[in-house]
Amino acid sequence: MTDVTRKDLFDLPEGLIYLDGNSLGPLPKSVPARIAGMVETEWGGLLIKGWNAAGWMDQPRRVGDMVGLLIGAPYGSVVMGDTLSIKVYQAVAAALKMRPERKVILSDTGNFPSDLYMVEGLLRTLDAGYELRKVDPEEVSGAITEDVAAVLLTEVDYRTGRLHDMNAITKTAHDAGAVMIWDLAHSAGALPVDIAASKAEFAVGCTYKYINGGPGAPAFIYVRPDLADIAEPALSGWLGHAAPFDFAQNYAPGPGIERMRVGTPPVIQMTALEEAMKVWEGVDLHDLRKASLALQEQFIEEVEARVPELELASPRDPEARGSQVSFRFAEGYAAMQALIHLDVIGDFRAPDIMRFGFTPLYLDAGDVTEAVDRIAKVMQERLWDDPRFRSRGKVT
Ligand SMILES: *Cc1c(COP(=O)(O)O)cnc(C)c1O
């Protein structure tokens, strides 16, 4: 196994232990200069010519292929744009068109709320008797009945880190005639994904978590290549048109994955992401996975030995976890605030989950031990009982 740690490529504040790369990845050091250069020479110098001369128009595909390498997607099957919520909407809408005789979308109660909200909104708009059926994560396979048009699941549960068996569930969905959509928000850049091997029809994900593209970084959508010319785009914007610059009166979908584009891409943000992708050069995702699990195992062992107040909320079996570990604690919100005050950043998810992300690109065993030292301090000294840690910000 080769060492995947490359802390020197990231700009992390001195003394800070960042266990929240699963929510917002840190800044790769080369990004600020790339952005400044892009703004000055491309936007400033090239102006409108930048769309061709600086490759802005092709960037969503170019970066899509870079992200594709992290999720096992063949060349030309991924495109960037919009936010993950929008990409979920596009994938579900296209999936429903592929099974017009079926009326059920199946998801699980552990899914991220925005995915479920987007489906609710789509179904209200369609107003055609569709049902969003939610079951417990453990019940999904058994619930894929012959009335299910599409199965929408997030591979890694955002609260507990529980990992779905992507290949097995996809096969069950296909055996029942359903379309499979995977949300890879907590998978892409966190663990090896082979979306092509899974044979799923669609995958979506964001790039500001483990891919370190920065706040507001564009999302991605994958469409299985044999379906890319069949999938009907619900959001039929001009940049997904077959010939946007013909300015035709009527929409005609573009070739392949191009049709999943909607409008003008966020070029500055896309450039930050393109630059941030360079930290992945030479990283073997299987090595990354091994390193992530080693950090997680060390963390669980040390927390359980030294901080009995915390109760493991993630699966104990490492193979059943993504790249995060969560613990339950009734005063979890205030405890996390106190911990952040001690320069260990994790996050809190209601009602009582303290969540810690493990990102071997910039974390090592020494960081884990130091983090547990500070968690133990919060508990032993009951720092969470301080009123200043109890008032809630807008973002937890
Ligand atoms: C982070 C996350 C989102 C966020 O969606 P945005 O549109 O990017 O804000 C959606 N779904 C899942 C599963 C997530 O983990």
Side-chain angles (χ1 to χ4, degrees), residues 83-86 111-112 114-115 154 158 183 185-186 206 208-209:
T83 77
L84 175 50
S85 303
I86 302 288
N111 206 347
F112 190 79
S114 195
D115 295 35
T154 300
Y158 75 105
D183 187 327
H186 292 273
C206 55
Y208 48 79
K209 292 171 180 161

Side-chain angles (χ1 to χ4, degrees), residues 334-353:
M336 185 56 79
Q337 290 304 305
L339 189 59
I340 292 170
H341 186 70
L342 296 182
D343 263 358
V344 175
I345 300 191
D347 59 22
F348 171 79
R349 288 292 174 266
D352 59 356
I353 297 267

Side-chain angles (χ1 to χ4, degrees), residues 35-87:
I35 291 299
M38 178 267 154
V39 168
E40 273 178 43
T41 60
E42 296 181 16
W43 179 12
L46 294 171
L47 292 159
I48 191 86
K49 293 179 288 183
W51 287 107
N52 292 320
W56 297 343
M57 195 48 93
D58 297 330
Q59 200 175 21
R61 283 281 302 279
R62 193 165 69 237
V63 179
D65 283 327
M66 298 167 95
V67 171
L69 292 175
L70 297 180
I71 61 165
Y75 184 81
S77 62
V78 176
V79 73
M80 311 304 298
D82 316 297
T83 77
L84 175 50
S85 303
I86 302 288
K87 293 303 168 202

